[in-house]
Amino acid sequence: MPQLTALDAQFLHFETATNIANIAGLAILDGDLNRADLQGLLERKLPYVPALRRRLTTVPLGLDHPYWVQEDDLDLDYHVREIGLPPPGDDRQLADQVSRLHARRLDRGRPLWEIYLIHGLSGGRMGLYTKIHHAAVDGIGGADVLAALLDLTPEPAPPPPFPPERDEPPPAPLAMVARGLARLAGNPAGAVRFAARAVPHLDEIPVVSWIPGTAAVSGLARRLAGTGRAPDLPALPAPRTPFSGPLSGHRRFAFVSLPLEEIKQVRKAFGVTVNDVVMTVCAGALRAWLARHGGVPRQPLVAGVPFSLRAVGEEGPGNQVTIMTAPLAVHVADPAARLHHVRHAMHRIKDRFSLAPARWLREFSESMPAALMGLASRSAFALVGQAAPPINVIISNVPGPQFPLYVCGARLLCHFPVSVITEVSGGVNMTAFSYDGSLDIGIVTDREMVPDAWELAGHLRDALEELRNAEGDLPQ
């Protein structure tokens, strides 16, 4: 039966009027769809997309994590909406509209998703904004949901030859209560087991890793467990920036497409990975922005870098993700040296992650009593976000298909992620998605902290050009 994991439930509990857990995407299409065609497409494909046909049902007294229940009578008139842009229908107007839509919380009494057709975009294009709650999918799962609604050719593909699977119904209320009480009774033992398992990985956990002696304790625990020496991780407190601290309830969104071939040229010239180049481009953009707004700090920023815990080819509902922290060398003026710093930091994380995937976020969530998780999550977010945010910025890079896709016959020109910012992870999120020869980057900011997200988008272009013009090889 589909029950939310503890980590899934965390994304419900931390949500407030200012911390909003929508993950979304803005597709730009060549052509203009109508609502009836899109609803027809959804009627054919939704039975095969479980994440979009489930709604929440809660456990009495909040004794356990909620369950998903299959919604057989989806109200597509509610979930599929359309709006129009006034002339001239430019990209900034589109981004402003997405900013407003993204800041609205989803109705928890319905399946947790909405799609907006946005008409009136210049150049014979239209926007398709799709958002879903983070409790239902992670970034990889969200990309899979999008892929399920797309076609490889302008002609829609026929439905799969097999019938869609049906979810088992959730337990009756009394059974839910019994299961919740049993879980509650086992939580103290679970917390002890988490504490024991967590000791070798304390230096991976933001905030905890700053405590003096944490790295030594973790290293000793690994040696006693016979796992050997693991690569050291940086333990840098995040410097204060103009985008640190409590968020407002308002968002700003901007987007930019960078030629993937240019990214690959830099990768080849410096012998690094595409992800190293993406991280360095983001570092260069943030350095340029900070130079104009309060000054560049003398130490690296701390970037939160999401990692998927899914095995290759693995599918499944919910969140299978963790987050690692990495120093982001905005303090380094030379772009080639900056790339070297980023490469070194990312290699240390990957080497550590390959030895033992950082599952502390999921295991910590599972160790907490469900009945207390909501209050604990919100209190912890408020305390850490105001006192000592452990992360300055979220940067993520999601690989996508390198061939064209279609929606109801309209070609998908580009797809920009629209992700999450929180008081703990900083007021800027840069998420990249590679598609059909482009690197499409969506930038989400807090309106009060970074009022003009387009300024950051422009700096991303400049940072890539700066890398392309850099001379010399990276230090070895």
Side-chain angles (χ1 to χ4, degrees):
M1 68 195 67
Q3 184 180 18
L4 276 72
T5 67
L7 182 55
D8 297 339
Q10 285 277 26
F11 289 106
L12 291 176
H13 293 314
F14 86 71
E15 195 171 47
T16 64
T18 57
N19 292 296
I20 301 163
N22 298 328
I23 56 175
L26 172 65
I28 307 294
L29 304 178
D30 183 15
D32 195 43
L33 302 186
N34 63 62
R35 191 181 187 202
D37 286 344
L38 183 58
Q39 288 180 333
L41 174 72
L42 291 169
E43 286 176 351
R44 294 191 300 274
K45 294 198 172 188
L46 277 181
Y48 300 92
V49 189
L52 300 186
R53 53 182 171 85
R54 292 171 174 165
R55 59 176 173 81
L56 292 170
T57 183
T58 57
V59 175
L61 306 178
L63 290 174
D64 205 353
H65 306 307
Y67 288 79
W68 294 114
V69 58
Q70 183 165 313
E71 180 68 79
D72 291 320
D73 188 22
L74 274 173
D75 183 1
L76 290 181
D77 285 337
Y78 173 85
H79 288 281
V80 181
R81 310 177 184 189
E82 55 185 346
I83 53 181
L85 299 176
D90 59 30
D91 287 350
R92 285 180 177 261
Q93 289 174 296
L94 175 63
D96 287 346
Q97 186 62 257
V98 169
S99 301
R100 289 187 286 270
L101 297 175
H102 198 60
R104 298 177 186 173
R105 295 176 62 177
L106 289 157
D107 182 353
R108 295 192 181 182
R110 299 176 181 268
L112 295 175
W113 62 275
E114 295 172 358
I115 294 180
Y116 289 81
L117 292 89
I118 306 176
H119 302 282
L121 191 59
S122 61
R125 304 168 299 156
M126 77 167 300
L128 191 67
Y129 168 76
T130 305
K131 71 176 175 181
I132 186 169
H133 200 283
H134 213 323
V137 295
D138 54 28
I140 299 296
D144 291 342
V145 168
L146 173 68
L149 302 178
L150 296 170
D151 290 303
L152 299 176
T153 66
E155 294 74 32
F162 52 87
E165 295 182 0
R166 288 192 58 82
D167 294 337
E168 293 183 21
L174 286 178
M176 287 185 182
V177 171
R179 289 171 182 267
L181 290 173
R183 185 192 294 268
L184 186 62
N187 270 123
V192 171
R193 288 193 298 271
F194 166 74
R197 289 195 302 268
V199 172
H201 307 289
L202 291 177
D203 55 347
E204 298 172 0
I205 304 176
V207 180
V208 175
S209 63
W210 305 348
I211 300 173
T214 296
V217 171
S218 293
L220 176 62
R222 287 192 292 272
R223 288 193 293 274
L224 292 175
T227 57
R229 178 176 176 81
D232 292 331
L233 292 174
L236 297 173
R240 299 295 294 190
T241 70
F243 40 86
S244 301
L247 302 181
S248 72
H250 305 287
R251 301 291 179 261
R252 282 286 184 256
F253 175 66
F255 53 87
V256 61
S257 287
L258 302 178
L260 192 57
E261 183 57 34
E262 293 184 9
I263 300 283
K264 292 180 177 179
Q265 288 171 359
V266 175
R267 175 197 66 78
K268 184 177 180 180
F270 288 98
V272 296
T273 68
V274 166
N275 193 63
D276 293 337
V277 179
V278 172
M279 294 286 294
T280 306
V281 167
C282 291
L286 288 165
R287 174 183 171 84
W289 188 90
L290 286 166
R292 299 180 61 181
H293 301 276
V296 178
R298 296 182 179 180
Q299 66 190 89
L301 298 186
V302 177
V305 185
F307 279 88
S308 176
L309 297 175
R310 297 175 188 268
V312 176
E314 179 184 358
E315 297 181 358
N319 287 269
Q320 299 185 48
V321 67
T322 192
I323 190 167
M324 298 287 282
T325 56
L328 193 68
V330 298
H331 64 304
V332 177
D334 180 76
R338 191 183 310 135
L339 179 54
H340 167 68
H341 278 261
V342 168
R343 179 187 66 171
H344 183 61
M346 296 307 296
H347 281 197
R348 288 165 68 188
I349 289 176
K350 290 175 183 177
D351 289 345
R352 179 69 171 269
F353 191 80
S354 66
L355 294 176
R359 302 181 184 274
W360 61 266
L361 183 59
R362 188 172 70 189
E363 292 176 355
F364 174 69
S365 300
E366 291 170 352
S367 72
M368 295 178 62
L372 301 179
M373 183 180 286
L375 178 61
S377 297
R378 287 187 292 273
S379 299
F381 256 72
L383 178 62
V384 175
Q386 294 182 32
I391 296 171
N392 295 114
V393 57
I394 296 289
I395 300 176
S396 184
N397 178 29
V398 180
Q402 295 306 304
F403 47 82
L405 296 169
Y406 300 85
V407 181
C408 296
R411 180 168 175 167
L412 177 67
L413 299 176
C414 41
H415 183 267
F416 302 101
V418 192
S419 200
V420 178
I421 56 174
T422 72
E423 293 171 352
V424 170
S425 61
V428 174
N429 182 303
M430 297 176 167
T431 301
F433 181 76
S434 56
Y435 166 68
D436 198 23
S438 291
L439 187 78
D440 299 333
I441 305 176
I443 305 163
V444 177
T445 71
D446 181 85
R447 187 182 71 182
E448 305 304 319
M449 296 175 173
V450 183
D452 186 5
W454 288 101
E455 183 182 353
L456 269 175
H459 290 321
L460 285 169
R461 291 184 187 276
D462 296 339
L464 176 57
E465 189 63 24
E466 186 180 45
L467 274 176
R468 295 183 67 223
N469 293 333
E471 296 181 358
D473 294 328
L474 285 174
Q476 299 299 317

